Amino acid sequence: MASLWRAALGGSRGAEELGGGVEFWSNPERAGWLTKQGEYIKTWRRRWFVLKQGKLFWFKEPGVTRASVSRGVIPVASCLTVKGAEDVLNRQFAFELSTSRETMYFIADSEKEKEEWINSIGRSIVQHSRSVTDSEVVDYDNTRHHSSVDQR
């Protein structure tokens, strides 16, 4: 798991380096408290998460400002699945976020929060992974076959 965290982080960045200042942090797709498992020492820590523009950031405190420095970030386009994980962790309101190489675990405060996070992250995975493959999409409506269609 350490490799994904390091790749995603590239060092902790403030809002300035992410190109948006306060404006970047305003109107996130989702924000709230989650408990996450540590990268190296597998302890559980409560963190404030912000899902914005295909990235899941976390902070120690919810008062995110221009000066805030994220404790970490996960690019959701690199994630394959997000799903409930109560059975895996034997903990209520748990869910997992998986890449091809590793799985990260989180615990929400309620079933409703868990479902909302899973839905929001799932939507973000679809939106941001689609942008990677857009250049490979063939638009059959705009090919030469169109000229053979009879349009009376």
Side-chain angles (χ1 to χ4, degrees):
M1 186 183 316
S3 60
L4 177 66
W5 298 123
R6 273 195 301 279
L9 279 173
S12 289
R13 298 179 194 152
E16 290 288 321
E17 293 173 56
L18 292 166
V22 176
E23 298 76 40
F24 180 84
W25 301 117
S26 63
N27 303 314
E29 290 141 50
R30 179 142 193 81
W33 289 106
L34 290 171
T35 303
K36 75 174 262 315
Q37 197 171 39
E39 178 182 357
Y40 299 106
I41 301 167
K42 301 300 179 189
T43 56
W44 292 93
R45 295 182 188 265
R46 190 165 166 83
R47 296 289 184 240
W48 182 258
F49 281 80
V50 176
L51 178 63
K52 177 88 181 212
Q53 295 178 1
K55 293 180 173 59
L56 183 62
F57 300 92
W58 64 93
F59 301 86
K60 277 192 169 181
E61 301 295 329
V64 178
T65 67
R66 181 181 206 98
S68 295
V69 176
S70 69
R71 305 287 295 173
V73 59
I74 301 166
V76 297
S78 68
C79 298
L80 303 173
T81 62
V82 58
K83 61 184 179 181
E86 285 102 341
D87 54 337
V88 176
L89 295 177
N90 201 24
R91 294 183 99 153
Q92 207 174 19
F93 319 133
F95 66 95
E96 65 183 51
L97 189 52
S98 300
T99 69
S100 59
R101 292 190 309 263
E102 46 213 343
T103 300
M104 295 148 281
Y105 294 101
F106 304 88
I107 300 171
D109 291 344
S110 68
E111 182 66 25
K112 180 177 185 284
E113 287 279 314
K114 180 191 88 168
E115 292 301 324
E116 288 173 354
W117 274 107
I118 288 172
N119 290 338
S120 296
I121 294 169
R123 262 194 309 277
S124 190
I125 289 171
V126 170
Q127 287 169 351
H128 295 281
S129 61
R130 183 186 307 133
S131 64
V132 173
T133 58
D134 273 350
S135 60
E136 299 166 12
V137 173
V138 176
D139 184 15
Y140 290 107
D141 291 334
N142 291 325
T143 62
R144 292 183 189 200
H145 296 99
H146 202 335
S147 62
S148 64
V149 176
D150 187 15
Q151 297 186 2
R152 283 183 243 180

